[in-house]
Amino acid sequence: MSLLEQQRDRARLAAGDELKALLYNPSAEVLYALLDNPALDETLLGLLLSRKDLPAEILENVAGRKNFLKSYAVKRALVFHANSPRLVGLRLLRDLYLMDLVQFSLSPSVSAELKRHAEEYIVARLPQLPLGQRITLARRGPARVAGALIATGHAQVLEIALDNPRLTEAQVFESLVARQVAASRRATVANHRKWSQQYNVRLALVRNSSTPLAIVLSYLPQLTVVDLRELAAPGIVPENLRKYLLAEVHRRMVASKREAAAEPESLRGELLVSAKNQEGPEEE
């Protein structure tokens, strides 16, 4: 009998220190045998799953055993393991506690697909969460969660979410175009020191009919003519706002024509100055 065969047989029956030593065996066959050892309890299995070099096949085998999955610690370890197969992560991710989902979604090593699913599970739980947890998520959660809290959250949560360092312009924009966002929340965004300066955020606020008119009018001079014309098309914004958009487009066109008419005089002046500068050295 070879040494490997001996180790494999011992792995099924070992206990105590011998069992602990076998947890770090490099052979996948020995590790498979360990999973059949009745002495392999939750603590020892946790040590095994803490191995960074653990093969994906072993992780998949553990995930396929219902007796192991009775332990939350085991499920968490499987989801967080870098070598865990994609399907294992997708299957067990929904069972994670809220803050573990947050930690997982913020991990830089997590794939974009699993990160997206983790954020979806967090957002789905938001309506049932107490205010304290929503405040925590608004302050420390991923961008997508912070954006969801802007769209549906408590006023206090909204202000904290807007200061979330992970929040992106895209998430703020998406939250503003949601129909259920109240006018008061849009006003809070419009008065925010950072987001009120972002062009796409201003565009979203102008586009929405519930944004206060005074705020909309203050943004019009900063919008491009292309966007103003698009917004002024029939059916995009209320008719009372559309007339202001058309007036702003007209004002821009008039100003542009005046600048174009004044441009030749300016160019002639520059040519005269240039000619005098060139004549100076020759006269000397």
Side-chain angles (χ1 to χ4, degrees):
M1 182 181 293
S2 66
L3 177 60
L4 177 59
E5 290 175 332
Q6 292 178 8
Q7 291 178 331
R8 186 179 58 197
D9 291 342
R10 288 303 307 160
R12 294 191 179 95
L13 302 172
D17 292 340
E18 182 184 12
L19 177 55
K20 289 182 181 179
L22 288 169
L23 294 174
Y24 303 97
N25 193 286
S27 170
E29 290 186 39
V30 174
L31 297 180
Y32 273 121
L34 274 175
L35 299 180
D36 293 326
N37 190 319
L40 186 70
D41 58 17
E42 180 181 339
T43 301
L44 294 172
L45 183 56
L47 289 175
L48 177 63
L49 294 175
S50 67
R51 283 182 52 174
K52 294 182 179 181
D53 63 340
L54 204 60
E57 295 80 7
I58 299 298
L59 293 162
E60 188 172 14
N61 191 291
V62 172
R65 302 192 181 210
K66 294 183 179 180
N67 58 316
F68 288 156
L69 294 183
K70 292 178 181 178
S71 165
Y72 177 79
V74 170
K75 289 194 286 189
R76 184 187 185 281
L78 286 169
V79 172
F80 274 83
H81 202 287
N83 297 336
S84 191
R86 167 182 168 274
L87 292 179
V88 170
L90 288 174
R91 179 159 55 91
L92 299 179
L93 192 59
R94 69 179 70 227
D95 295 332
L96 292 187
Y97 296 151
L98 178 66
M99 296 316 295
D100 283 333
L101 277 172
V102 173
Q103 181 183 346
F104 183 81
S105 67
L106 296 177
S107 175
S109 61
V110 172
S111 70
E113 180 188 19
L114 290 176
K115 187 186 296 287
R116 184 179 68 254
H117 281 283
E119 291 172 348
E120 288 174 356
Y121 292 141
I122 297 171
V123 171
R125 298 182 191 182
L126 291 179
Q128 289 78 41
L129 296 180
L131 179 60
Q133 284 189 317
R134 278 183 281 165
I135 289 175
T136 300
L137 289 175
R139 184 177 290 113
R140 297 165 43 195
R144 187 175 182 183
V145 175
L149 288 168
I150 291 173
T152 61
H154 185 276
Q156 183 181 356
V157 176
L158 168 60
E159 295 179 1
I160 296 173
L162 288 171
D163 290 330
N164 186 313
R166 299 184 180 93
L167 188 63
T168 64
E169 183 179 354
Q171 291 297 336
V172 177
F173 179 86
E174 186 176 338
S175 67
L176 287 174
V177 299
R179 293 183 178 180
Q180 69 269 29
V181 178
S184 60
R185 291 179 187 144
R186 289 193 173 89
T188 301
V189 176
N191 292 320
H192 192 269
R193 61 188 181 281
K194 175 182 177 181
W195 300 115
S196 63
Q197 305 303 314
Q198 304 300 315
Y199 184 85
N200 286 330
V201 173
R202 289 185 171 188
L203 196 62
L205 288 167
V206 171
R207 183 182 291 270
N208 195 281
S209 60
S210 65
T211 304
L213 182 61
I215 293 174
V216 171
L217 296 181
S218 69
Y219 288 164
L220 296 188
Q222 285 78 45
L223 299 186
T224 66
V225 173
V226 173
D227 285 331
L228 286 169
R229 284 175 172 166
E230 180 182 342
L231 291 169
I236 302 298
V237 297
E239 195 62 30
N240 66 322
L241 174 57
R242 185 167 174 261
K243 66 179 182 180
Y244 288 108
L245 294 171
L246 293 171
E248 178 63 21
V249 172
H250 178 71
R251 185 188 70 79
R252 299 275 190 94
M253 299 306 296
V254 171
S256 179
K257 289 179 180 179
R258 288 176 179 172
E259 291 177 1
E263 185 175 355
E265 296 180 4
S266 175
L267 289 176
R268 283 198 297 271
E270 290 178 6
L271 289 174
L272 288 173
V273 171
S274 177
K276 289 181 180 179
N277 290 338
Q278 292 178 1
E279 292 173 358
E282 293 179 1
E283 292 177 353
E284 291 178 1

